[in-house]
Amino acid sequence: MIPVNEPLLDGNEKKYLNECIDTGWISSEGPFVKRFEDGFSARVDRKHGIAVANGTVALEVAVAALGLGKGDEVILPTFTIISCASAILRAGAVPVVVDSDPVTWNMSVEQIEPKITPRTKAIMVVHIYGLPVDMDPILALAARYHLTIIEDAAEVIGQTYKGKPCGSFGDISAFSFYPNKHITTGEGGMVLTNDDALAAKSRELRNLCFTPPRRFIHKELGWNFRMTNLQAALGVAQLERLDEFIARKRRIGAIYNELFSGLQSLQLPAKETNGASNIYWVYGIVMDDSIPYDAFEAMKRLAELGVGTRPFFYPMHSQPVFHDAGLFRGEHYPVAERLGERGFYLPSGLAITEEQQITVSQAVKQLFT
Ligand SMILES: *Cc1c(COP(=O)(O)O)cnc(C)c1O
């Protein structure tokens, strides 16, 4: 079976992990945490980095640090991971969704303004599958309506939009270092911001809101969302290779593009937008309506041919858990719904070989030609 994702861990990972063990620093108190925070925030051109346990909680910290709560509305794409909507809901705020662009699969920027109400407080921008959202019109809306931007840049580590790093556009931004991201710490995430107060708040929230002068006297509730020194050691080693990894991902994408050129029945990822060329977080494909079955069936058939796959996101407005809570009833977003039914992604992790890609393409062509 060709796995859908396999990370590359053959740089300084072992050396730095050994340092943790040799020195005994394995908790969040160890020196790699700050090194990773400083290195990563510098790379994304932000003043502060707050390392956390994963990308999901990075979003929770971001929403909580902004003080979003009861009655506040946050606009986000329906085509995303549940972590985005759950961070908003857990803060007591209301997720308001927009459909996707059929070519880039990113949030439809034109649909944002009609959803703005007097209760709208923020836009949660999520860059999907390696191509950045068109930020200029969103920044203009945020300025006009005094909205905060939360940027989920988990799928665009190392990507830029018009020459500026993704993750540097939000008032606060969130990253994940899960093993399928461009760099990994196993589990892990980071909150980035230029705002001193938001950074201080994020650090408190990450660490149970222990605050001076007396450590065990609390004025607010936080979480233990700390990243360990072991995870951060991996992060420092991975960050050293980010440029190489981006180049490698672009090459993986270019090889699939070449192998699938002329295949009419599949929509391939967009190679570029006005602001960037794709860094193929995953290599997604969308089946044409002429194919008489859905992605679920296609993935089953590919598994029988030895090819691992994963489905696309399933839209937030179609989630049973939200319908049960009275959200999104009767709402429809046809582009995202179609992506959820007909889209899935192919093996495209950093460790994949060209031979494996050729094997994958032969199986895909067997199904779709
Ligand atoms: C991976 C991902 C997350 C969640 O990260 P975890 O570390 O798995 O919790 C959040 N948002 C997006 C867009 C992601 O791709």
Side-chain angles (χ1 to χ4, degrees), residues 67-74 88 92-95 119-121:
L68 295 171
K70 203 168 162 52
D72 296 336
E73 294 177 0
V74 181
I88 296 164
V94 182
R119 292 175 301 281
T120 308
K121 291 284 158 50

Side-chain angles (χ1 to χ4, degrees), residues 23-210:
T23 59
W25 285 111
I26 56 172
S27 77
S28 62
E29 298 273 311
F32 280 112
V33 176
K34 182 157 180 356
R35 250 174 89 180
F36 185 41
E37 289 177 339
D38 289 349
F40 193 75
S41 56
R43 171 72 200 224
V44 185
D45 196 23
R46 295 282 90 177
K47 196 166 159 196
H48 305 283
I50 300 96
V52 292
N54 55 64
T56 300
V57 304
L59 287 163
E60 289 197 33
V61 167
V63 169
L66 288 168
L68 295 171
K70 203 168 162 52
D72 296 336
E73 294 177 0
V74 181
I75 298 175
L76 76 162
T78 190
F79 187 70
T80 186
I81 190 168
I82 194 135
S83 314
C84 300
S86 63
I88 296 164
L89 281 162
R90 289 221 162 97
V94 182
V96 173
V97 298
V98 297
D99 205 354
S100 308
D101 178 276
V103 175
T104 64
W105 309 331
N106 270 316
M107 69 196 298
S108 164
V109 175
E110 314 82 73
Q111 291 187 22
I112 295 174
E113 193 167 15
K115 294 269 182 168
I116 295 173
T117 74
R119 292 175 301 281
T120 308
K121 291 284 158 50
I123 302 171
M124 185 182 279
V125 171
V126 189
H127 307 285
I128 296 290
Y129 295 173
L131 261 191
V133 173
D134 192 10
M135 291 306 300
D136 282 345
I138 295 184
L139 294 169
L141 282 178
R144 186 165 347 128
Y145 293 96
H146 307 290
L147 305 176
T148 299
I149 294 181
I150 305 161
E151 196 182 355
D152 181 348
E155 300 176 6
V156 288
I157 299 174
Q159 178 62 289
T160 57
Y161 168 80
K162 299 190 177 174
K164 283 183 63 186
C166 290
S168 71
F169 294 93
D171 295 276
I172 195 163
S173 58
F175 285 85
S176 161
F177 307 113
Y178 189 71
N180 63 3
K181 313 296 182 186
H182 289 85
I183 62 170
T184 184
T185 59
E187 302 285 347
M190 203 170 310
V191 176
L192 295 186
T193 182
N194 266 359
D195 184 297
D196 296 347
L198 283 177
K201 187 86 212 168
S202 299
R203 286 186 195 284
E204 281 176 27
L205 289 166
R206 166 182 74 175
N207 193 27
L208 297 170
C209 288
F210 284 133

